[in-house]
Amino acid sequence: MRSFNAQLKIIGVNPYVSLPEHILADLQKKAGKEKGPIPIYGKINGNEFTQTLVRFAGEWRLYVNMKMLKNSPKRIGEVLAFSIDFDSRDRTLEIHAKLHAALEKNEAAKQ
């Protein structure tokens, strides 16, 4: 688990923080990749969260939603305390049984 403080910024309507380079490098090493989304977990101001680190417009960003931080869009400029690490857990979602049954009945959807 790596800890850092970061100021909450906004791009469009999305609050986010930038990660320190050494922490980003550590997460990329643990994930075994430098491209594509990186699953992470951690704490923001002591509250646990699960999120995905993404690269957008040339910069890696940790988007901070209201589930992670109450009233996050109204807290732009606030400095927040983070602890994060690579999340190696399987995040595969199982298809709902009723949806699976419906798809099985429709040949075009099944394809």
Side-chain angles (χ1 to χ4, degrees):
M1 191 75 71
R2 304 294 298 264
S3 298
F4 65 98
N5 293 331
Q7 184 178 36
L8 190 62
K9 303 173 189 174
I10 194 162
I11 186 167
V13 296
N14 300 305
Y16 76 96
V17 296
S18 300
L19 277 67
E21 286 295 323
H22 68 283
I23 293 178
L24 174 59
D26 182 56
L27 291 170
Q28 289 172 326
K29 183 178 178 183
K30 288 180 178 181
K33 61 182 181 176
E34 293 181 8
K35 295 182 179 181
I38 298 175
I40 62 170
Y41 71 96
K43 293 183 179 181
I44 179 172
N45 288 354
N47 298 312
E48 293 183 0
F49 69 85
T50 301
Q51 185 61 293
T52 303
L53 185 62
V54 296
R55 186 174 181 155
F56 177 73
E59 183 181 342
W60 284 93
R61 302 172 198 273
L62 172 56
Y63 288 98
V64 178
N65 59 41
M66 289 195 293
K67 185 176 179 184
M68 295 166 63
L69 180 67
K70 187 176 179 178
N71 295 321
S72 58
K74 296 179 181 177
R75 297 173 74 170
I76 305 306
E78 186 175 331
V79 176
L80 307 168
F82 288 87
S83 297
I84 63 173
D85 205 352
F86 172 66
D87 187 357
S88 62
R89 296 175 293 177
D90 182 17
R91 292 186 178 183
T92 305
L93 298 175
E94 295 295 324
I95 188 170
H96 191 281
K98 289 183 180 180
L99 176 59
H100 180 70
L103 291 173
E104 287 294 317
K105 291 179 185 177
N106 185 316
E107 206 48 48
K110 192 175 180 181
Q111 295 295 333

